Amino acid sequence: MVEAYAARRERLRAHCSASGADAALITRAANVRYLTGCAPCGATLLLTRERAVLALPDDLPPDDTGEHLLPDDPEVARLPVAEGGDTALAAAEAAGRLGVRDLAVEEHDLTVSRHRGVAGQAEGVHLSDLARAVEQLRVVKDEHEIADLRIAAEIADQALGELLESILVGRTERHLAMELERRMIDHGADRAAFPVSVGTGSHSGQEFHLPTDRRVEEGDFLTVVLGAQYRGYGVSTARTFVIGAAPAPWQVELHRLVFRAQRAAREALGPGVPQHVPDQAAREILQSGGHTESSAHPLGHGIGLEIREAPRLGPADMGKLDNRVPVTVGPGVHIPGKGGVRIEDTLVVRPLEEGGPELLTITTKELLAL
């Protein structure tokens, strides 16, 4: 992995040189980890043409969990920062000492006061905006990253599969969500990639539902949205099932409709495909089924070190997909007062000659009666 991090830094150096900057100050945690493998919150990377300097809080707790990974890379020099100090200011001061003339900073990550502090410490240095250059480098994943995503998906699938084998009637949404988070950690996840959502009955199928104390009842739809994080990389998956006896006709029909929409969106993925096409494919099927009120939110988005990354798969997104880009595809329908269905997968965009989109989350999408 040391070579992979070094290659990523070289790509950022090339970007900086092309834009006229001779160094970059990286403060966004996911970007620091992408370029160095370093995980501690608060770390800052100063990347010049010749050096990589990692400013780290001097009071990091002992690491026996992998929570505060430090780079094992001889090319990355460490700059300890005393307790209470700001690593961005320390790195900016180092930039001045190293003769940097034009320093590109992540303005979208810095507060106004922190930006002023960086400018004050980088004496004689002109600041420019790096914008989201590192985020753009992160869009296309290498095989190391995809391997970590595969493991995260396996962990999420395993936790969900175990839950489906347990007794669910009478348990609360909140209890089930907590159990899923625990199971993912038990199977090797760093943590849940985001708070697990469990929705039953009239809550099922909702976007961004926060679990409540509502108890699972016979005949309910049950929607679960979860994701595991492994070595910093997260996935997202959603499934909808029915509790108890055979599903009602309206449940079968709605589940079949969302399943068809999700399959159409998955099959539309490919290198060079406009980002809005998968969303359009899903919406057309949902609307043909009479659900013209389907969500205004995009069908999906990129995923990796952050749970929401570029690209976005929405109706107004006109860019094109690249090879080796992991994305989520998750259409859903919610009928107020009644419930609904949501089905989501994490996939990696691949060309047809490589088999097409690589499905990472493989728990069955059938309408099981649990």
Side-chain angles (χ1 to χ4, degrees):
M1 279 301 296
V2 170
E3 295 82 3
Y5 295 129
R8 295 171 190 175
R9 294 193 295 271
E10 284 306 311
R11 290 199 299 273
L12 181 58
R13 285 187 173 107
H15 172 87
C16 289
S17 294
S19 62
D22 52 3
L25 190 74
I26 310 301
T27 51
R28 191 171 183 87
N31 293 343
V32 173
R33 184 164 191 165
Y34 177 74
L35 295 166
T36 67
C38 177
C41 179
T44 296
L45 174 67
L46 171 65
L47 187 68
T48 72
R49 288 172 179 165
E50 298 84 18
R51 296 180 175 84
V53 179
L54 187 64
L56 290 162
D58 203 21
D59 56 344
L60 288 176
D63 180 28
D64 55 3
T65 64
E67 183 72 18
H68 303 288
L69 292 173
L70 295 175
D72 183 19
D73 189 337
E75 293 184 10
V76 179
R78 297 185 191 179
L79 174 63
V81 179
E83 182 177 355
D86 188 322
T87 60
L89 304 191
E93 184 181 17
R97 294 198 308 269
L98 292 172
V100 171
R101 292 294 172 227
D102 194 312
L103 179 64
V105 303
E106 296 185 305
E107 291 186 355
H108 63 286
D109 185 67
L110 293 172
T111 62
V112 172
S113 61
R114 206 176 186 204
H115 189 281
R116 288 174 180 163
V118 166
Q121 290 295 322
E123 191 172 346
V125 179
H126 172 258
L127 299 187
S128 59
D129 184 15
L130 185 62
R132 296 183 180 271
V134 183
E135 284 88 341
Q136 287 303 310
L137 291 177
R138 285 168 41 199
V139 169
V140 175
K141 304 299 191 280
D142 60 37
E143 293 303 333
H144 296 287
E145 296 175 286
I146 293 172
D148 288 341
L149 286 164
R150 285 195 195 101
I151 295 173
E154 290 171 4
I155 291 170
D157 282 331
Q158 191 168 4
L160 181 55
E162 290 176 355
L163 184 76
L164 300 183
E165 295 174 355
S166 61
I167 296 173
L168 301 176
V169 174
R171 299 169 69 183
T172 67
E173 296 173 347
R174 199 188 313 272
H175 184 197
L176 293 176
M178 291 173 61
E179 181 172 336
L180 280 165
E181 293 195 12
R182 178 186 61 78
R183 286 179 183 273
M184 288 190 288
I185 292 170
D186 287 348
H187 288 301
D190 304 338
R191 60 174 66 84
F194 52 87
V196 172
S197 173
V198 176
T200 64
S202 61
H203 297 161
S204 59
Q206 285 186 348
E207 290 184 288
F208 315 121
H209 173 65
L210 297 177
T212 69
D213 288 325
R214 186 190 188 282
R215 295 185 182 276
V216 178
E217 300 176 1
E218 291 276 345
D220 277 351
F221 261 148
L222 172 71
T223 297
V224 179
V225 186
L226 77 161
Q229 178 183 296
Y230 179 76
R231 292 182 180 170
Y233 287 84
V235 297
S236 181
T237 184
R239 296 291 186 268
T240 301
F241 308 98
V242 71
I243 300 299
W250 75 270
Q251 291 175 318
V252 173
E253 181 181 347
L254 186 59
H255 189 276
R256 183 179 295 126
L257 182 71
V258 176
F259 177 86
R260 286 177 50 224
Q262 205 256 358
R263 181 176 60 191
R266 293 195 334 255
E267 291 174 351
L269 295 172
V273 172
Q275 291 166 213
H276 70 276
V277 167
D279 182 282
Q280 181 181 357
R283 285 180 195 270
E284 287 177 354
I285 290 176
L286 296 181
Q287 290 169 2
S288 71
H291 295 282
T292 56
E293 76 293 345
S294 56
S295 171
H297 291 101
L299 167 87
H301 50 79
I303 195 166
L305 285 171
E306 294 177 292
I307 203 62
R308 288 183 179 273
E309 300 186 352
R312 198 174 71 154
L313 307 184
D317 294 302
M318 303 307 294
K320 293 186 177 181
L321 294 171
D322 287 317
N323 188 24
R324 301 201 319 273
V325 175
V327 295
T328 65
V329 172
V333 170
H334 175 74
I335 303 172
K338 198 170 183 179
V341 175
R342 184 158 300 280
I343 301 174
E344 182 184 54
D345 283 309
T346 298
L347 307 97
V348 180
V349 176
R350 302 278 195 183
L352 288 176
E353 54 268 29
E354 294 180 14
E358 178 185 352
L359 181 64
L360 300 185
T361 47
I362 61 173
T363 296
T364 181
K365 289 182 273 287
E366 293 181 22
L367 182 54
L368 300 180
L370 305 177

